[in-house]
Amino acid sequence: MALLLLKRLDGPIDVVKKVFAWRSQRWTLHEIAEALNKESATRRGMRWQPRQVSRILEHRSLYRGRYAYAKTETKGQQEAILR
């Protein structure tokens, strides 16, 4: 699983930023998924589900351009999207 996380994350940057912004405003995963669906921001042509939103949130360090595993953190292959 760790090797999978080393790959570059693809996807619309604006969607990632919106997900983190809405979550910081205490939106639920369901509310975020519904908002993305209303904007027609689809992932691979499918409707957004709360679990997909959760996976974006779980990878915060990667969106900051960092890779963390156990107690080690290093610069990742992903360019920083978040600060």
Side-chain angles (χ1 to χ4, degrees), residues 9-27 32 35-36 39 41 48 52-53 56-57 59-60 62-65 78-83:
L9 297 175
D10 294 318
I13 293 171
D14 59 328
V15 170
V16 172
K17 288 181 177 182
K18 286 178 185 178
V19 167
F20 280 97
W22 289 334
R23 189 62 173 173
S24 71
Q25 296 171 13
R26 303 176 81 92
W27 287 29
I32 294 170
L36 290 172
E39 290 185 356
W48 282 91
Q52 293 166 315
V53 173
I56 289 175
L57 295 167
H59 294 105
R60 177 180 220 103
L62 289 178
Y63 291 116
R64 288 185 168 168
Q78 174 74 37
E79 293 179 29
I81 294 172
L82 304 173
R83 294 183 195 263

Side-chain angles (χ1 to χ4, degrees), residues 30-59:
H30 181 76
E31 290 170 332
I32 294 170
E34 286 301 312
L36 290 172
N37 288 325
K38 286 179 184 175
E39 290 185 356
S40 299
T42 60
R43 183 177 178 266
R44 296 182 186 160
M46 299 170 59
R47 290 181 51 82
W48 282 91
Q49 300 296 322
R51 181 63 185 138
Q52 293 166 315
V53 173
S54 175
R55 287 188 179 225
I56 289 175
L57 295 167
E58 289 171 1
H59 294 105

